[in-house]
Amino acid sequence: MRRKYNSGHWDGAIVSYREMEKLEWNGANTTIMSKFEEHVFGSTSNGLSATHVLDLHEDGYIKPHIDSIKFCGALVSGLSLLSDAVMRLKLDESNYADVLIPRLSVLHNVQ
């Protein structure tokens, strides 16, 4: 059974999404995720026991927010599978960068 999309996140940062944390992957996905983790994190671990997965509904979005290092680690990475996405990295109101993440691509090493 597929999970239903949630209308909003507990902290208000995400709208129309499904979310899960994966501790283990099946055989084929293990190979893919190992390549992804090596590409993103290199030879070091991200220090987190689970992979946090978000699936946004076609009308869903992530609002501007600050992630907690406790829950997300010190590195931000974006993987876009089905559509192009824009990730805004913002220091303050006048210092920010909008980064295009084309579908089927990875943005990594954003520290």
Side-chain angles (χ1 to χ4, degrees), residues 21-99:
E21 290 190 353
K22 292 286 289 182
L23 294 170
E24 296 180 346
W25 301 92
N26 67 27
N29 289 343
T30 296
T31 301
I32 293 167
M33 288 306 296
S34 293
K35 288 180 183 179
F36 173 77
E37 289 174 2
E38 184 175 331
H39 180 71
V40 172
F41 300 110
S43 61
T44 62
S45 167
N46 69 0
L48 301 174
S49 60
T51 301
H52 188 199
V53 180
L54 283 177
D55 172 22
L56 294 177
H57 185 272
E58 63 184 270
D59 298 323
Y61 55 94
I62 302 172
K63 296 178 185 179
H65 67 283
I66 299 172
D67 283 325
S68 168
I69 291 176
K70 176 181 176 183
F71 298 111
C72 300
L75 184 134
V76 173
S77 177
L79 170 66
S80 186
L81 297 176
L82 298 177
S83 64
D84 294 348
V86 175
M87 181 182 286
R88 175 168 281 183
L89 305 168
K90 184 173 171 182
L91 183 59
D92 57 42
E93 291 302 317
S94 60
N95 294 299
Y96 63 87
D98 288 337
V99 182

Side-chain angles (χ1 to χ4, degrees), residues 10-27:
W10 62 269
D11 64 0
I14 311 169
V15 175
S16 295
Y17 71 100
R18 293 187 291 212
E19 174 178 42
M20 70 159 84
E21 290 190 353
K22 292 286 289 182
L23 294 170
E24 296 180 346
W25 301 92
N26 67 27

Side-chain angles (χ1 to χ4, degrees), residues 94-106:
S94 60
N95 294 299
Y96 63 87
D98 288 337
V99 182
L100 175 65
I101 308 173
R103 95 182 253 280
L104 299 176
S105 66
V106 176

